[in-house]
């Protein structure tokens, strides 16, 4: 169940967060920006933290459909491209980076961030289930570890190092975790 | 060159940041906490952003000596353990997570974060130079990519997912980037 205009409410929540930070995010501001009554918003989400948690998981702006290219390598490269787009292409990147950065400072947002990553991983799991059925993955391969290596590398390179991602970044990152880096 | 009590100044800077966030960090507060005159601090660092940039790179609290275990696998596992300790063990973790989180929101801190990672990578490069001399790395292996995959995975798992790192996390993460994940 959801209120009418749910996506407008989520969109306004994420835009306000990106523009003003978590401190500047208010249910009043979301109400004004989305044209929805404040009491309606409070009826569905009891706090701005709850509203942001819902927006992170459910907003169309941050939606990700897990890829299905027919092979694990192609699927993982598409996943990396998706994370790279999320973290570097406005407007989604303004929102995603602001929300994830805010979560570091605001303990009441930790739950929202965990929810965001758990939801993503639940969708990504299909990629690994298909790869197992095709016999592509080693028995020891750990899907969450693979996702965290790849998505973490994008975050480090694009956000902390503030370096551009080369065109072949996704292919090279995926090759590292699939093929390894040892001399043969 | 450096003022006397440089480490006390850096320590006070990082403690204040962890306790009060970047907004609450002031040169006045650092002066009070470190017992150093405010004008002395300003003589060396013209702004709180400059002071924090110096503290991130030079404070003993965040110092990391690159490992030299005799082999690439052992060195990388030690690097992952070091990053894990930095991001999960107080007091260093309070400081590191606060500083890196603040950098996402404050463009004037982006330079400090880039400096921190560039300094770390300059130290870590020795691990890869020795591995190349020993013939351990494939020709295509990209040291910065390997570091970003490993450190990024620790950040994602420990900070964003807020999940504990298993005892074998370092060994499994390093195995993924060295041995790959494909069925053989």
């Amino acid at each position: 169940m959801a209120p009418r205009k749910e996506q407008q409410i989520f969109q306004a929540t994420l835009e306000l967060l990106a523009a003003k930070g978590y401190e500047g995010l208010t249910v009043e501001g979301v109400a004004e920006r989305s044209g929805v009554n404040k009491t309606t918003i409070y009826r569905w989400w009891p706090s701005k933290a709850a509203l942001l948690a819902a927006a992170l998981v459910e907003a169309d702006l941050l939606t990700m459909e897990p890829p299905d290219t027919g092979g694990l390598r192609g699927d993982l490269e598409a996943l990396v491209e998706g994370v790279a787009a999320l973290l570097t292409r406005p407007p989604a990147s303004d929102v995603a980076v602001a929300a994830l950065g805010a979560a570091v400072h605001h303990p009441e947002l930790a739950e929202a961030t965990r929810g965001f990553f758990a939801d993503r991983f639940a969708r990504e799991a299909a990629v690994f289930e298909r790869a197992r059925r095709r016999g592509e993955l080693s028995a020891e391969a750990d899907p969450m570890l693979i996702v965290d290596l790849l998505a973490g590398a994008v975050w480090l390179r694009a956000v902390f190092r503030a370096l551009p991602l080369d065109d072949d970044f996704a292919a090279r990152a995926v090759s590292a975790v699939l093929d390894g880096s040892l001399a043969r």
Side-chain angles (χ1 to χ4, degrees), chain A:
Chain A
M1 289 194 302
R4 282 192 321 123
K5 293 186 143 193
E6 183 187 48
Q7 281 297 329
Q8 286 97 315
I9 295 169
F10 291 157
Q11 180 80 20
T13 302
L14 296 175
E15 285 171 1
L16 261 183
L17 175 78
K20 305 195 171 180
Y22 188 65
E23 288 79 6
L25 175 65
T26 61
V27 172
E28 286 73 9
V30 172
E32 200 175 307
R33 201 177 185 106
S34 62
V36 174
N37 200 293
K38 190 175 72 170
T39 54
T40 304
I41 298 177
Y42 274 120
R43 199 176 309 140
W44 289 90
W45 302 283
S47 66
K48 72 174 181 175
L51 177 57
L52 182 55
L56 279 175
V57 172
E58 293 172 44
D60 291 341
L61 183 67
L62 301 177
T63 290
M64 177 210 72
E65 280 310 307
D68 186 4
T69 64
L72 177 60
R73 192 175 302 265
D75 282 1
L76 291 181
E77 290 179 2
L79 269 182
V80 172
E81 302 279 8
V83 175
L86 187 67
L87 294 179
T88 61
R89 270 188 228 148
S93 61
D94 296 332
V95 165
V97 173
L100 294 171
V104 172
H105 290 294
H106 299 283
E108 73 270 33
L109 280 183
E111 183 75 28
T113 316
R114 282 201 299 272
F116 174 75
F117 281 97
D119 173 75
R120 293 300 144 127
F121 187 67
R123 294 163 195 248
E124 292 153 354
V127 164
F128 296 95
E129 284 158 20
R130 288 194 304 263
R132 287 228 190 272
R133 280 202 296 271
R134 286 186 300 246
E136 292 179 285
L137 274 173
S138 74
E140 308 81 47
D142 173 348
M144 187 183 279
L145 180 60
I146 292 174
V147 166
D148 286 355
L149 288 161
L150 293 172
V154 176
W155 175 270
L156 225 77
R157 187 68 60 97
V159 180
F160 286 156
R161 290 198 202 271
L163 289 175
L165 299 172
D166 298 331
D167 287 345
D168 62 351
F169 182 86
R172 291 192 303 115
V174 170
S175 176
V177 302
L178 291 186
D179 307 318
S181 306
L182 294 179
R184 289 177 203 283

